[in-house]
Each structure stands twice: as structure tokens, then as C-alpha cells.
Amino acid sequence: MKINLRLNLIIVFFAALICARVSFAQELSSSELIKNTKQYDGKIITYSGEVIGDVMLRGNFAWVNIHDGDNALGVWMNAFLASQIKFKGNYKSRGDNLEIVGIFNKACLEHGGDLDIHAQGIRKIANGRLVSERINLDKRNLALILLGALFLIWILTLLKRK
């Protein structure tokens, strides 16, 4: 009976420690992180943004670039977490919006002194989607008018030579 009570107390203690670490993670923008690298170095932070570019798998881990509207930061995460990403932002699609909780590194020794975030967890805020490209009719019409003008000039120069 005493062993079960001690074991339960130990489990509750460690669960409280883990919850406290995650709940005190501060949500920050990329601009704030870049301006105050010393202040946040080695601290658990929360960073949100759109997945852009490719998910670059490196064994059991992956690099993912997250853009918050101002800058993009590299995030090092477990490949299992990265497998949850379905859409990556490019000219054909909007990427998934993620909330990253992880350790911010001003100059990560593991990754050649780069500024990065080592993700401990992610949460998908919004799903990405394909973006349909629409033709700008004003630009199309202007291009046709210019092409017609060039064709007319070409015809007139041919007639002038005769």
C-alpha cells in the first residue's frame, strides 16, 4: 500500500513538473526572438506560423521552416511530429499553421551555431490548402495590346521596306 502511494506521488510530481514547463512557455514572434536572443536562449518558448518550403528529414528528425508573417525560423523536430504536416507553403499552396513549443537556441551547438528551435511538441492550429491561381485580366489585356502594337509596328516596317 505504501509503495503504491509513493509511486503515485512520484508520478504526480513529475507530471506537475512537465505541465509547469509547458504552461509557462511564452508565445513570441520571430522579431522578438531575433531582437532578444540572449534573453530567450535556452528557454522554452511558443512560436506559431505557417510551414513553408520542404520538410527536410534527417534520420529520426526533420528540419521545418515556420514563417510567422515577418521572418522564418528553423525548427528541429522529431520525424513523427513532422509527419503530421500535410501542406507546405509555396506558390501553389498555403502551409499548415502550427504552434511549436520548444527550446529556443541563440547559437545551437548541435547545428553549427545556427539560431533554431528544438520542438518538444506541436499543435496544428489550421490546416493548409491548395491555392487556385487566377489570371489577372488587366495584365492579360495589357499584354495583348502591347503584342498587337508590336505586331503592327512589324507589319509597318515590312511595308516601308517594299
Side-chain angles (χ1 to χ4, degrees), residues 4-30:
N4 284 341
L5 180 62
R6 285 183 187 169
L7 183 60
N8 286 340
L9 286 174
I10 290 171
I11 290 171
V12 168
F13 175 75
F14 282 111
L17 274 178
I18 291 169
C19 290
R21 285 186 64 133
V22 173
S23 66
F24 291 117
Q26 198 172 3
E27 182 154 359
L28 301 163
S29 69
S30 61

Side-chain angles (χ1 to χ4, degrees), residues 60-152:
N60 293 330
F61 292 91
W63 278 111
V64 178
N65 287 311
I66 307 293
H67 187 267
D68 70 349
D70 293 326
N71 304 291
L73 296 180
V75 178
W76 181 249
M77 66 177 62
N78 184 293
F80 174 75
L81 294 176
S83 70
Q84 298 175 36
I85 298 168
K86 301 298 176 213
F87 286 93
K88 293 151 296 257
N90 55 41
Y91 68 96
K92 291 183 179 181
S93 64
R94 298 280 300 165
D96 292 339
N97 272 334
L98 302 179
E99 179 182 77
I100 309 292
V101 175
I103 299 172
F104 176 76
N105 296 298
K106 172 185 166 187
C108 180
L109 297 175
E110 186 179 346
H111 299 113
D114 289 339
L115 182 145
D116 67 13
I117 299 169
H118 287 217
Q120 295 178 333
I122 67 170
R123 182 175 66 92
K124 192 178 286 191
I125 298 170
N127 290 319
R129 66 186 187 288
L130 293 175
V131 176
S132 61
E133 190 175 334
R134 285 183 261 161
I135 295 174
N136 185 329
L137 295 178
D138 292 336
K139 287 183 181 180
R140 183 201 65 184
N141 293 341
L142 180 61
L144 289 173
I145 290 169
L146 291 174
L147 184 63
L150 285 174
F151 184 70
L152 184 62

Side-chain angles (χ1 to χ4, degrees), residues 48-69:
S48 299
E50 176 189 1
V51 176
I52 60 169
D54 291 326
V55 174
M56 298 166 279
L57 292 174
R58 302 291 185 263
N60 293 330
F61 292 91
W63 278 111
V64 178
N65 287 311
I66 307 293
H67 187 267
D68 70 349

Side-chain angles (χ1 to χ4, degrees), residues 33-60:
L33 287 168
I34 292 168
K35 285 180 197 170
N36 303 302
T37 54
K38 285 183 181 179
Q39 180 181 348
Y40 297 112
D41 188 29
K43 298 219 168 63
I44 295 177
I45 55 103
T46 302
Y47 176 67
S48 299
E50 176 189 1
V51 176
I52 60 169
D54 291 326
V55 174
M56 298 166 279
L57 292 174
R58 302 291 185 263
N60 293 330

